[in-house]
Amino acid sequence: MPAATPPTPVTGWGRTAPTAAARLIRPRTYEEAVAAVLASGARGSIARGLGRAYGDAAQNAGGAVLDMTGLDRIRTIDAEAGVVVCEAGVSLHRLMEVLLPLGWFVPVTPGTRYVTVGGAIGADIHGKNHHGSGAFSRHVRALDLLTADGEVRTLRPTDELFQATAGGMGLTGVILSAELQLHSVQTSLMSVDTERAADLDDLMARLSATDHRYRYSVAWIDLLARGARTGRAVLTRGDHAPLDALPPRARRTPLRFNAPHLPPMPRHLPERLLTRTSVSAFNELWYRTSPKLRTAELQPIPKFFHPLDGVPHWNRIYGRGGFVQYQFVVGHGQEEALRRVVRRIARRGCPSFLAVLKRFGEADPGWLSFPLPGWTLALDIPAGLPGLGGFLDELDEEVAGAGGRVYLAKDARVRPEVLEGMYPRLPDFRTLRRALDPEGVFTSDLSRRLNL
């Protein structure tokens, strides 16, 4: 069994709810992972990848946290069929580095490529292509799961345990490896269309009418705009550029993957850097300088999918108090609920410059998978905003009343009684957990807070 570090604080990307102390253990083999799980102790254990869950999903105060980045080997690549088998600690960034030169791309990527494959399955991540491609687990052909009894089970999508694990936030066991179906591409560039929407209704109309033409679509939305401008947005959509769309010079290295970085954010920034005034000015500038309509612009993959990855430790911009990322989804037919939430956020003056709206397609089979057919809005809010907790509780009630839900991978504060109505398969998930792990070996700050 690998040595554990001395008890150390652990926190999510939002830096709002650090643990008191946890024992970090970094297994490098299946055998070491089994030994770590069997020696979890009274406070149990939880797997952790690259720490990009915003809240407390990969934390375990007083217990063990298994750092899975030591299991980072790519085992096999079938370059003809576009199938890769890799360990759970491999990052999407590493997969892009290796697979893009072979003409393959990950099937789903969120707003950061610095997530592990195990984390992508555990949170059942979604991206700009959910309306056509679904969430990450839909492209997983098989996975190896270490359960509480020390057994390693190979699961396939038709297995109930697979469906409980996809989106199960690491609470069914430790994902050790996965077999993924990839997406074929001719180049490492994106062909991107950008346009401005005057308000929320204009934005939803454009998305509804044309989303089917694009593999990827997302809208940055100005949540400080009010009145006739409420919900104004910059809509960005695209697909992988074909080879013949590249200029002659770029065709020499069409699958080159380049991900430049800016210097990291300073460790300490002023607490009140992001105020309503400063964010309002930024939003105005961003909207006004974005093109009214631009088509077929060639963009590198990092610029289109992961612009913030170019700024290491960008979460520090919110200061020591951290930030809350609030993401919810409401179904088609509940557009008025979405309008009400956007108006409430605008009236409240939440200083959010990272706010995006997307359309989801069909729901995914994971019992606790977040997406359902409809509209999802995600926004970052400084955690120190006065009255934020009560305000978000009110939004939870609005979302739940519309049959929607919040995203567990980004949550650090939803109340358990509200969550009950958001995930209809939650009772099944709890029943399976009790049968599979009666001693509660796999546990986290999130699971204790929400009685998962």
Side-chain angles (χ1 to χ4, degrees):
M1 176 175 167
T5 64
T8 182
V10 178
T11 189
W13 191 245
R15 306 199 301 170
T16 57
T19 66
R23 293 177 293 111
L24 288 176
I25 303 170
R26 192 168 187 258
R28 294 182 177 273
T29 65
Y30 275 25
E31 291 76 16
E32 289 185 353
V34 170
V37 166
L38 293 178
S40 291
R43 294 287 288 181
S45 62
I46 193 68
R48 181 181 177 91
L50 287 167
R52 290 304 181 102
Y54 285 76
D56 53 2
Q59 300 172 197
N60 183 20
V65 174
L66 307 187
D67 176 356
M68 298 302 294
T69 58
L71 283 162
D72 61 353
R73 288 165 284 272
I74 297 176
R75 292 182 177 173
T76 64
I77 300 172
D78 185 335
E80 293 295 321
V83 175
V84 63
V85 177
C86 62
E87 292 179 336
V90 174
S91 69
L92 299 193
H93 174 82
R94 180 60 180 153
L95 287 181
M96 292 177 198
E97 286 183 321
V98 172
L99 297 171
L100 268 169
L102 303 177
W104 296 99
F105 190 64
V106 295
V108 172
T109 177
T112 175
R113 60 187 178 276
Y114 294 110
V115 297
T116 62
V117 168
I121 298 170
D124 206 8
I125 60 170
H126 55 271
K128 298 176 175 68
N129 59 339
H130 190 277
H131 60 282
S133 300
F136 194 87
S137 66
R138 203 178 295 185
H139 307 272
V140 178
R141 294 162 49 124
L143 63 86
D144 282 349
L145 183 74
L146 168 59
T147 50
D149 55 6
E151 181 182 346
V152 177
R153 310 179 189 214
T154 298
L155 307 177
R156 300 198 178 274
T158 53
D159 298 330
E160 279 198 340
L161 184 51
F162 181 105
Q163 294 163 16
T165 300
M169 307 310 297
L171 297 172
T172 60
V174 179
I175 299 167
L176 297 173
S177 66
E179 179 181 336
L180 310 177
Q181 180 65 58
L182 306 168
H183 174 64
S184 176
V185 297
Q186 295 181 13
T187 76
S188 61
L189 293 174
M190 305 298 297
S191 178
V192 181
D193 294 351
T194 305
E195 59 189 289
R196 293 199 312 225
D199 56 33
L200 183 60
D201 285 343
D202 182 28
L203 172 61
M204 289 193 291
R206 291 171 189 252
L207 284 167
S208 298
T210 61
D211 244 12
H212 64 280
R213 302 177 191 169
Y214 298 89
R215 178 173 290 274
Y216 305 100
S217 67
V218 66
W220 169 87
I221 184 169
D222 182 359
L223 290 177
L224 286 174
R226 298 175 66 176
R229 303 180 305 161
T230 299
R232 67 177 179 174
V234 178
L235 178 56
T236 307
R237 295 174 287 189
D239 205 338
H240 298 276
L243 186 61
D244 59 13
L246 272 57
R249 186 172 182 178
R251 294 182 197 177
R252 300 174 191 171
T253 55
L255 291 166
R256 180 170 177 255
F257 179 59
N258 184 29
H261 281 81
L262 296 173
M265 282 285 177
R267 184 171 294 276
H268 301 300
L269 288 166
E271 290 296 310
R272 298 296 294 164
L273 182 64
L274 297 180
T275 64
R276 180 175 178 177
T277 299
S278 64
V279 173
S280 180
F282 170 86
N283 287 0
E284 182 71 26
L285 179 65
W286 187 262
Y287 183 79
R288 293 297 177 187
T289 57
S290 297
K292 291 184 178 179
L293 178 63
R294 182 172 60 201
T295 60
E297 178 191 12
L298 293 177
Q299 292 184 5
I301 278 172
K303 180 179 180 180
F304 181 75
F305 288 106
H306 318 116
L308 287 175
D309 280 350
V311 185
H313 304 294
W314 63 262
N315 56 340
R316 294 176 182 170
I317 196 173
Y318 292 91
R320 295 184 183 183
F323 69 100
V324 173
Q325 179 157 113
Y326 186 71
Q327 183 168 7
F328 68 90
V329 58
V330 292
H332 293 304
Q334 294 294 335
E335 286 76 11
E336 187 53 40
L338 175 63
R339 294 185 187 100
R340 287 195 299 269
V341 170
V342 169
R343 288 195 295 264
R344 292 179 72 164
I345 294 170
R347 286 196 304 268
R348 181 67 173 74
C350 295
S352 176
F353 72 96
L354 294 175
V356 296
L357 182 76
K358 297 191 290 277
R359 286 179 75 241
F360 280 159
E362 293 182 8
D364 301 285
W367 290 0
L368 298 187
S369 290
F370 168 66
L372 55 83
W375 304 92
T376 181
L377 176 65
L379 61 147
D380 290 354
I381 312 171
L385 192 69
L388 180 61
F391 177 69
L392 293 181
D393 285 345
E394 293 173 3
L395 296 190
D396 289 343
E397 297 286 354
E398 183 86 57
V399 168
R405 60 183 61 147
V406 297
Y407 190 17
L408 292 177
K410 297 183 177 179
D411 176 62
R413 32 70 45 201
V414 72
R415 290 175 290 132
E417 63 270 20
V418 177
L419 187 78
E420 297 286 335
M422 292 181 170
Y423 286 88
R425 296 300 302 271
L426 185 54
D428 297 327
F429 182 80
R430 287 170 171 155
T431 298
L432 181 143
R433 279 200 69 209
R434 284 193 295 269
L436 186 68
D437 182 10
E439 301 300 320
V441 170
F442 296 113
T443 188
S444 65
D445 292 355
L446 174 80
S447 71
R448 281 189 286 264
R449 176 169 58 86
L450 296 177
N451 188 28
L452 297 178

